[in-house]
């Protein structure tokens, strides 16, 4: 049994092949004329660690919608956390894709909120905004290096936030589940994660009832108006 150390400059997710050979013969000593020679070999592969990614909803602009429920016009903030393995991560690009079906989330803003202290080489600085085009926002970090300390923690992480709004368009309707996907790509592969929100809308019903339902000329007839929200979102600025 023997051990070997992975090269500190190893690229994430690269396969490292190692071969072992054995030779032997059929007689003791050096009997090259009469003995038979034998050989065998075997290979083993170790794959360098891969980055990981998580994506979560961390804030919404209306406290009166529950959890990941979003009303029309509400803004949601997503957080993407990339954890890098120790070593080199070349060609690092984060792409966040906002949904366009069944409903639409529209880009508002984005920023890099943290770059771990073990990470060097980033082409983007803290607070840098991503490059947005339509539903896609890209953060091109370039060639990264994560210093070796044999510990995985926030020093090995890059954190990004993306703000998006539920636009007032016909495509957005109560019951729509909107899935947002973040993909972190690098030279050897990619990893991704998703986060979902649900569109909610108010629906007010109004009933008007007289009491009594009949009367003579000159009688006063009172009416009762009852409004009930049967939708799944709050209603505001109600005028009856």
């Amino acid at each position: 049994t023997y051990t070997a150390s992975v090269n500190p400059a190893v690229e994430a997710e690269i396969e490292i092949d190692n071969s072992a050979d054995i030779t032997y013969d059929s007689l003791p000593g050096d009997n090259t004329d009469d003995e038979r020679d034998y050989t065998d070999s075997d290979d083993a592969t170790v794959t360098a660690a891969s980055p990981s990614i998580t994506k979560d909803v961390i804030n919404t602009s209306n406290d009166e919608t529950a959890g990941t429920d979003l009303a029309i016009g509400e803004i949601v903030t997503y957080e993407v956390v990339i954890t890098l393995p120790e070593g080199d991560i070349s060609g690092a690009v984060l792409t966040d894709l906002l949904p366009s079906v069944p409903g639409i989330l529209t880009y508002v803003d984005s920023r890099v909120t943290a770059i771990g202290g073990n990470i060097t080489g980033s082409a983007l600085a803290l607070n840098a905004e991503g490059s947005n085009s339509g539903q896609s926002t890209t953060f091109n970090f370039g060639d990264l290096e994560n210093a070796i300390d044999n510990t995985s923690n926030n020093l090995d992480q890059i954190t990004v936030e993306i703000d998006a709004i539920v636009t007032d368009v016909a495509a957005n309707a109560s019951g729509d589940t909107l899935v947002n996907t973040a993909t972190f790509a690098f030279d050897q592969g990619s990893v991704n994660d998703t986060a979902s929100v649900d569109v909610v809308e108010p629906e007010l019903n109004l009933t008007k009832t007289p009491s009594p339902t009949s009367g003579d000329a000159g009688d006063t007839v009172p009416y009762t108006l009852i409004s009930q929200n049967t939708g799944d979102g709050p209603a505001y600025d109600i005028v009856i």
Side-chain angles (χ1 to χ4, degrees):
T1 300
Y2 71 95
T3 60
S5 297
V6 177
N7 189 317
V10 68
E11 289 281 349
E13 214 171 86
I14 197 170
E15 291 186 349
I16 305 169
D17 296 323
N18 186 10
S19 297
D21 301 306
I22 186 172
T23 62
Y24 57 102
D25 54 46
S26 61
L27 292 176
D30 187 13
N31 299 285
T32 57
D33 293 335
D34 301 321
E35 69 187 12
R36 176 172 292 177
D37 294 327
Y38 304 90
T39 63
D40 195 17
S41 64
D42 195 20
D43 298 329
T45 300
V46 173
T47 303
S50 175
S52 63
I53 186 172
T54 60
K55 183 178 181 67
D56 296 289
V57 173
I58 62 167
N59 190 46
T60 60
S61 59
N62 187 353
D63 293 337
E64 295 185 27
T65 52
T68 56
D69 289 348
L70 297 180
I72 304 298
E74 188 170 359
I75 295 174
V76 57
T77 300
Y78 295 98
E79 181 181 73
V80 180
V81 179
I82 304 160
T83 303
L84 302 180
E86 295 174 347
D88 294 343
I89 304 92
S90 298
V93 179
L94 172 66
T95 302
D96 188 82
L97 186 63
L98 294 171
S100 57
V101 290
I104 299 171
L105 283 175
T106 301
Y107 174 85
V108 175
D109 194 13
S110 63
R111 59 217 154 263
V112 178
T113 58
I115 299 176
N118 285 345
I119 300 168
T120 56
S122 174
L124 296 177
L126 199 64
N127 297 317
E129 183 176 359
S131 176
N132 175 256
S133 177
Q135 300 303 102
S136 179
T137 303
T138 302
F139 297 84
N140 191 339
F141 292 100
D143 298 335
L144 302 174
E145 182 179 349
N146 188 25
I148 296 173
D149 62 3
N150 296 314
T151 301
S152 181
N153 54 27
N154 63 325
L155 297 178
D156 309 311
Q157 294 178 337
I158 295 174
T159 305
V160 166
E161 291 180 2
I162 300 101
D163 300 328
I165 188 170
V166 184
T167 320
D168 183 12
V169 294
N172 287 329
S174 178
D176 286 347
T177 296
L178 309 181
V179 181
N180 181 219
T181 303
T183 301
F184 181 67
F186 48 100
D187 282 355
Q188 306 300 326
S190 64
V191 290
N192 64 76
D193 195 22
T194 62
S196 299
V197 294
D198 297 309
V199 178
V200 295
E201 291 188 86
E203 184 175 346
L204 299 185
N205 296 323
L206 181 64
T207 58
K208 182 177 181 180
T209 306
S211 179
T213 57
S214 62
D216 293 329
D219 287 351
T220 299
V221 179
Y223 290 86
T224 301
L225 301 176
I226 299 176
S227 178
Q228 183 179 11
N229 186 359
T230 60
D232 46 16
Y236 304 95
D237 303 323
I238 300 167
V239 177
I240 297 177

